[in-house]
Amino acid sequence: DESKKIVDEVSTEIEQNAADTTEATKEIAEAAQKKAAEVAVAVQDEVAAIAEAAKEISEGAAEKVAHIDQAAHKEGAEVAEAAEAKVALIVVAAEERVAEIAVVAEVAVVAEAKAAEHQDGVVIAAKEGTEAACATMDAAAAAATGVVIVEFVAEKGALKKVDFKTNNVGFEIAMAGGGCCGPAGQAQVAVKKVDKKGQAETLGVKRGWSVKSINGTDVTSLKPSQKLLEGSVAKLPKA
């Protein structure tokens, strides 16, 4: 009986301990569940806060990007407009410069033409003056030396002056139509005949030479030339 009593007591104590353990386990489980619930709520709140912050950051970033894009677009448009304006100014300046160059070129052409005309006039005047001076000198030389100076146009247009010192000049003149010693087809006063061993032949005068002048006076037609030659030769001494 004593052993049974001890067994009962031990059994009762074990059952009580088991009940206590179960109660403690239950309390621990409930505390753990409560803690877990609290942690879950805290985690959810933190996650929600993080999500909200992320959303705000995202929206801010998007706004900044849009602002930057808008500013860049505006700046790009302004740069493009400024470049177009600059190009337009350059084009206008270039067109004005081209117009100025065209005016200067036109003035240069006119000036060149005027200069050419003036130069031609100067050359002609100089030539005429030279011819007149030569004619005057021939006349003066003839008067001073007592000779008749006849200027001929020889072969290939060469000019030759011959001084006749006696009245027997030894050549005759007539009108000839061009030929070797003058412009083709143009009638001119020319040597028709050269006397053999006469003064003209001795001085080298050739038949066909054109007569350009007598004592500085230009020869253009036959009768005045014959009269001029005869009058000048008549003053020379006899051969």
Side-chain angles (χ1 to χ4, degrees):
D1 293 334
E2 186 66 27
S3 299
K4 183 178 180 182
K5 183 179 179 180
I6 292 171
V7 171
D8 290 340
E9 288 177 358
V10 171
S11 295
T12 300
E13 186 177 355
I14 291 172
E15 289 176 359
Q16 184 64 41
N17 289 335
D20 293 341
T21 301
T22 300
E23 184 67 26
T25 301
K26 183 178 179 181
E27 290 176 358
I28 292 171
E30 289 176 356
Q33 288 178 355
K34 183 178 180 181
K35 189 65 176 178
E38 291 175 355
V39 170
V41 171
V43 170
Q44 288 178 354
D45 293 340
E46 188 173 354
V47 169
I50 293 172
E52 184 66 24
K55 181 179 179 182
E56 291 177 358
I57 293 171
S58 177
E59 290 176 353
E63 185 177 355
K64 288 182 178 180
V65 169
H67 179 71
I68 292 171
D69 184 64
Q70 184 178 3
H73 180 73
K74 182 179 180 181
E75 185 176 357
E78 291 175 352
V79 171
E81 290 177 359
E84 289 178 359
K86 187 69 175 179
V87 170
L89 289 175
I90 292 172
V91 170
V92 171
E95 290 176 350
E96 291 177 352
R97 186 59 179 164
V98 169
E100 290 176 0
I101 292 172
V103 172
V104 171
E106 184 176 357
V107 171
V109 170
V110 173
E112 185 178 359
K114 291 291 184 182
E117 291 177 2
H118 180 70
Q119 184 178 8
D120 291 342
V122 170
V123 170
I124 293 173
K127 182 179 180 181
E128 292 176 350
T130 301
E131 291 177 351
C134 289
T136 302
M137 290 176 63
D138 286 346
T145 58
V147 299
V148 172
I149 302 174
V150 181
E151 186 174 18
F152 297 96
V153 180
E155 294 83 356
K156 298 181 180 180
L159 297 178
K160 294 184 179 293
K161 289 184 180 180
V162 180
D163 296 348
F164 293 92
K165 298 178 180 180
T166 62
N167 61 357
N168 185 15
V169 293
F171 73 92
E172 296 179 8
I173 59 175
M175 293 301 293
C180 69
C181 305
Q186 180 179 340
Q188 54 193 330
V189 179
V191 177
K192 176 183 178 181
K193 179 183 177 183
V194 177
D195 297 339
K196 288 186 177 181
K197 298 182 180 180
Q199 186 177 193
E201 185 181 50
T202 302
L203 295 173
V205 177
K206 304 293 183 182
R207 183 175 179 274
W209 282 11
S210 299
V211 180
K212 185 177 184 297
S213 66
I214 299 172
N215 282 347
T217 300
D218 286 342
V219 170
T220 56
S221 58
L222 182 60
K223 288 185 178 181
S225 301
Q226 288 175 331
K227 186 176 180 179
L228 177 61
L229 181 61
E230 290 172 359
S232 299
V233 170
K235 299 177 184 179
L236 297 177
K238 293 182 180 181

